[in-house]
């Protein structure tokens, strides 16, 4: 029976062969693709013929054409799709990129810095594109997307009025894909650093080459806007402040005083420059580890923001990371005046929302503080979310009335 099936499959595959490689899925494995989830794991593949990383046409076991994707035989995520049930190869990347950009136009984001392509969520698996005024910063996270680099660059040039494209492919996922980190300009023209951007009425200088992430934490933009409603005449503490995103919005919204803490000297220098650029005062910038800062201060604040780096980088770090989140939030809670606000985030992909809630509950019980949840938030809206793809969720923010 098995032999019959495989002979039949080979004959049918020959008729499927076009200029692209071919993937045939195991029986029933097309269901998740049809729901919009773009990945197939190694166990879901019946047959693959083609070149590793290059484009393939994807067929169900019953030979229904499901779309186009690419395979990496080194990765457990064996197949990633491009687009949603897209079967036309011609101009595929340009069509998908233009579509992503168009979707953002309707969001009316009050900034010239935004995410234009959000990887799997936009049907462009392995590709991130962030725009800073007229400079695009791109990240290629997979072998398949790496091989499409020239096409992506051309598609971006055709779709946007941009001056330069900078590649910052430094994500850890590249290692799993058998790729080394890669950085550099992909256009002849380079943008002078830093680049000035605006968010609402606040100006920021962003160094896309030397800064963290693609230069700025775009994913927290709407939380920075939201914070403004809480801070008038209030004392604000911003823990893990980077280049002062939350701090500057708070000062613009007439906070009495902001204290910002970050371990990075470079981030603190950038924060001071951004403060000066906006002509803002009453900003105390402290270069320190947040844990030691919190151990040594007794000052109380009306609003405290906690936005640390990912403490749980992989599943094996979970218990250590949970302890770090609990401890940091406990220490932060001690600094919140009764009736004040704690805005706390986790950008650990491996920390589920419900576990984050539990951590916050434990921290509040340990501190004997009764807290109420006022708001929840995921990523900023330009980080469009494919609901079928839970793996795309990493950032979560909770606002607590303390
Ligand atoms: C997620 S970013 C914060 C982004 C910021 N909220 C914004 O809106 O731009 C995390 C920041 O934490 C800083 N950081 C990392 N470990 C730290 C530590 N132990 N103490 C203080 N800051 C730390 C990093 O330098 C980085 O700037």
């Amino acid at each position: 029976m098995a032999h019959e099936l495989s002979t039949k499959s080979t004959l049918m595959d020959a008729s499927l062969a076009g200029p692209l490689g071919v993937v045939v899925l195991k029986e029933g494995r097309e269901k998740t693709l049809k729901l919009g989830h773009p990945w197939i794991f190694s166990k879901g593949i019946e047959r693959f013929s083609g070149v590793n990383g290059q484009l393939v046409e994807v067929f169900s076991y019953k030979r229904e054409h499901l779309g186009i994707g690419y395979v990496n035989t080194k990765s457990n995520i064996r197949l990633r799709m491009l687009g949603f049930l897209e079967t036309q190869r011609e101009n595929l990347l340009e069509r998908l990129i233009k579509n992503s950009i168009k979707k953002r136009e309707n969001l009316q984001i009050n900034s010239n810095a935004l995410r234009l392509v959000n990887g799997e969520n936009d049907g462009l698996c392995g590709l991130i594109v962030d725009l800073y005024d007229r400079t695009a910063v791109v990240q290629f996270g997979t072998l398949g997307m790496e091989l499409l680099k020239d096409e992506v660059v051309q598609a971006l040039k055709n779709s946007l009025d941009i001056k330069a494209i900078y590649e910052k492919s430094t994500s850890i996922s590249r290692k799993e894909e058998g790729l080394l980190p890669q950085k550099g300009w992909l256009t002849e023209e380079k943008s002078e650093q830093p680049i000035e951007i605006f968010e609402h009425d606040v100006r920021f200088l962003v160094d896309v080459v030397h800064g963290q992430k693609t230069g700025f934490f775009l994913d927290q933009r709407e939380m920075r806007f939201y914070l403004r409603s809480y801070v008038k005449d209030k004392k604000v503490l911003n823990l893990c402040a980077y280049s002062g995103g939350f701090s500057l919005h708070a000062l613009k919204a007439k906070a009495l005083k902001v204290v910002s803490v970050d371990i990075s000297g470079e981030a603190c220098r950038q924060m001071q420059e951004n403060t000066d650029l906006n002509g803002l005062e009453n900003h105390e910038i402290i270069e320190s580890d947040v844990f030691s800062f919190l151990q040594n201060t007794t000052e109380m604040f009306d609003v405290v923001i906690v936005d640390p780096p990912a403490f749980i980088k992989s599943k094996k770090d979970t218990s250590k990371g949970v302890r770090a989140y609990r401890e940091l939030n406990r220490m932060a809670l001690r600094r919140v005046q009764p009736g004040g606000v704690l805005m706390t985030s986790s950008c650990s992909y491996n920390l589920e929302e419900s576990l984050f809630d539990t951590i916050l509950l434990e921290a509040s019980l340990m501190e004997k503080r009764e807290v109420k949840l006022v708001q929840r938030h995921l990523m900023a809206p330009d980080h469009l979310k494919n609901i079928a793809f839970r793996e795309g969720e990493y950032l979560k923010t909770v606002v607590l009335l303390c």
Side-chain angles (χ1 to χ4, degrees), residues 8 66 80 82 95 115 118 141 163 195-196 208 214 238 243 249 256 262 279 303 331 334 346 366 390 392:
K8 202 169 146 205
L66 298 167
R80 294 177 205 241
L82 290 174
R95 274 188 288 117
R115 178 150 294 188
N118 195 24
K163 182 174 167 196
I195 298 166
E196 186 176 323
V208 304
T214 60
N238 185 8
S243 58
H249 277 283
L256 205 58
D262 201 284
V303 179
M331 292 171 98
R334 283 181 210 147
S346 160
M366 283 163 151
R390 299 302 304 222

Side-chain angles (χ1 to χ4, degrees), residues 197-257:
I197 61 149
F198 70 87
E199 263 188 6
H200 207 299
D201 54 357
V202 184
R203 295 154 72 196
F204 290 98
L205 293 171
V206 175
D207 187 333
V208 304
V209 176
H210 303 103
Q212 297 183 30
K213 267 192 129 185
T214 60
F216 203 64
F217 289 84
L218 299 172
D219 50 6
Q220 287 282 31
R221 182 193 316 103
E222 272 61 25
M223 277 289 102
R224 291 190 280 270
F225 292 173
Y226 179 76
L227 172 78
R228 296 171 67 125
S229 55
Y230 282 99
V231 295
K232 189 163 181 283
D233 300 326
K234 298 282 165 51
K235 270 174 70 182
V236 178
L237 173 62
N238 185 8
L239 299 168
C240 299
Y242 188 48
S243 58
F246 283 104
S247 313
L248 269 60
H249 277 283
L251 288 166
K252 264 281 187 196
K254 303 201 176 349
L256 205 58
K257 164 189 172 177

Side-chain angles (χ1 to χ4, degrees), residues 180-396:
L180 292 170
Q182 196 116 28
K183 277 178 171 193
W185 293 97
L186 297 177
T187 42
E188 257 175 50
E189 190 153 0
K190 303 170 184 169
S191 303
E192 243 180 67
Q193 299 304 308
I195 298 166
E196 186 176 323
I197 61 149
F198 70 87
E199 263 188 6
H200 207 299
D201 54 357
V202 184
R203 295 154 72 196
F204 290 98
L205 293 171
V206 175
D207 187 333
V208 304
V209 176
H210 303 103
Q212 297 183 30
K213 267 192 129 185
T214 60
F216 203 64
F217 289 84
L218 299 172
D219 50 6
Q220 287 282 31
R221 182 193 316 103
E222 272 61 25
M223 277 289 102
R224 291 190 280 270
F225 292 173
Y226 179 76
L227 172 78
R228 296 171 67 125
S229 55
Y230 282 99
V231 295
K232 189 163 181 283
D233 300 326
K234 298 282 165 51
K235 270 174 70 182
V236 178
L237 173 62
N238 185 8
L239 299 168
C240 299
Y242 188 48
S243 58
F246 283 104
S247 313
L248 269 60
H249 277 283
L251 288 166
K252 264 281 187 196
K254 303 201 176 349
L256 205 58
K257 164 189 172 177
V258 177
V259 175
S260 301
V261 183
D262 201 284
I263 202 167
S264 154
E266 185 50 35
C268 291
R269 195 194 54 72
Q270 192 73 72
M271 193 151 32
Q272 187 60 59
E273 264 188 40
N274 287 333
T275 311
D276 297 342
L277 179 71
N278 288 278
L280 293 166
E281 286 171 356
N282 306 320
H283 191 191
E284 190 181 336
I285 297 169
I286 299 171
E287 182 182 331
S288 167
D289 165 55
V290 272
F291 290 95
S292 41
F293 168 80
L294 287 166
Q295 243 151 23
N296 293 313
T297 186
T298 51
E299 197 173 349
M300 298 299 284
F301 295 84
D302 303 294
V303 179
V304 176
I305 300 138
V306 184
D307 188 17
F311 287 148
I312 309 176
K313 292 213 165 55
S314 68
K315 274 213 155 46
K316 66 175 170 38
D317 306 329
T318 304
S319 48
K320 198 168 149 225
V322 166
R323 281 198 299 278
Y325 280 115
R326 195 191 298 120
E327 190 53 22
L328 181 54
N329 281 288
R330 267 188 84 170
M331 292 171 98
L333 255 177
R334 283 181 210 147
R335 307 276 53 88
V336 186
Q337 295 276 20
V341 167
L342 177 69
M343 180 184 280
T344 181
S345 300
S346 160
C347 59
S348 293
Y349 159 71
N350 291 297
L351 179 67
E352 282 187 12
E353 200 174 48
S354 58
L355 182 52
F356 191 42
D357 283 357
T358 305
I359 291 169
L360 297 175
L361 178 62
E362 284 172 358
S364 65
L365 292 173
M366 283 163 151
E367 289 305 310
K368 300 192 170 35
R369 295 288 294 262
E370 190 193 344
V371 299
K372 297 284 179 231
L373 195 148
V374 236
Q375 176 74 288
R376 266 186 206 287
H377 187 255
L378 298 173
M379 290 77 71
D382 49 329
H383 292 52
L384 286 180
K385 182 75 206 62
N386 171 358
I387 302 171
F389 181 67
R390 299 302 304 222
E391 294 87 337
E393 286 171 19
Y394 65 97
L395 182 62
K396 42 228 151 272

Side-chain angles (χ1 to χ4, degrees), residues 90-184:
E90 212 185 342
N91 286 330
L92 179 59
L93 270 287
E94 191 165 322
R95 274 188 288 117
L96 292 176
I97 286 174
K98 283 197 163 132
N99 194 18
S100 281
I101 294 169
K102 198 161 171 27
K103 281 183 190 145
R104 270 83 182 162
E105 284 167 11
N106 295 329
L107 297 175
Q108 310 273 336
I109 289 167
N110 192 357
S111 177
N112 62 344
L114 70 162
R115 178 150 294 188
L116 293 180
V117 175
N118 195 24
E120 292 23 27
N121 295 287
D122 279 303
L124 282 153
C125 291
L127 179 68
I128 298 291
V129 181
D130 287 344
L131 184 71
Y132 293 95
D133 191 31
R134 292 185 58 230
T135 300
V137 182
V138 289
Q139 296 184 309
F140 299 89
T142 57
L143 173 66
M145 208 34 95
E146 176 79 19
L147 298 181
L148 292 166
K149 195 178 287 183
D150 290 347
E151 201 173 325
V152 167
V153 168
Q154 195 52 52
L156 286 172
K157 284 180 181 167
N158 294 347
S159 312
L160 290 164
D161 175 27
I162 39 174
K163 182 174 167 196
I165 303 174
Y166 185 70
E167 175 179 7
K168 206 168 191 185
S169 300
T170 49
S171 68
I172 31 174
S173 67
R174 277 178 73 92
K175 199 170 171 203
E176 288 153 30
E177 290 276 316
L179 298 166
L180 292 170
Q182 196 116 28
K183 277 178 171 193

